[in-house]
Amino acid sequence: IIAALVWDPASRARLHDALRGQASLRFCDRQTELLTLVENNLAGVVILDTRDREGTSTLKTVRRIRDEFPSVPVVLYFAISPDT
């Protein structure tokens, strides 16, 4: 399973289309949901935006996954804009 914390509908659609037939994609709405998948060995890869739906940084979640689950690849996914 690829666990994705990407909240923008257009970004979700792009990921869904890109991974169709390649992997099982599970969209998460909260950082805790994503961490639960990782902690239970259900997510082999994590894709996340730099901020969650509420605007909270995902940096702590990235650090936790890297520290506690170093074998799980983490991919940051975000639109390049003046804000990012």
Side-chain angles (χ1 to χ4, degrees):
I1 294 175
I2 296 176
L5 180 69
V6 177
W7 55 271
D8 174 63
S11 295
R12 282 186 173 207
R14 277 192 297 276
L15 279 173
H16 184 264
D17 289 344
L19 296 171
R20 181 174 295 149
Q22 303 298 315
S24 177
L25 181 61
R26 168 82 183 267
F27 288 108
C28 302
D29 290 322
R30 294 175 194 80
Q31 294 184 56
T32 54
E33 182 182 356
L34 183 125
L35 284 170
T36 298
L37 290 172
V38 173
E39 290 167 350
N40 290 298
N41 295 318
L42 297 174
V45 176
V46 169
I47 300 173
L48 38 62
D49 202 329
T50 56
R51 300 202 172 274
D52 64 16
R53 188 178 298 272
E54 288 80 35
T56 304
S57 173
T58 58
L59 185 57
K60 285 184 183 180
T61 298
V62 171
R63 284 187 180 141
R64 181 169 174 195
I65 293 169
R66 298 307 313 137
D67 289 344
E68 296 178 23
F69 306 94
S71 65
V72 176
V74 176
V75 178
L76 291 178
Y77 186 92
F78 60 96
I80 297 175
S81 70
D83 295 335
T84 58

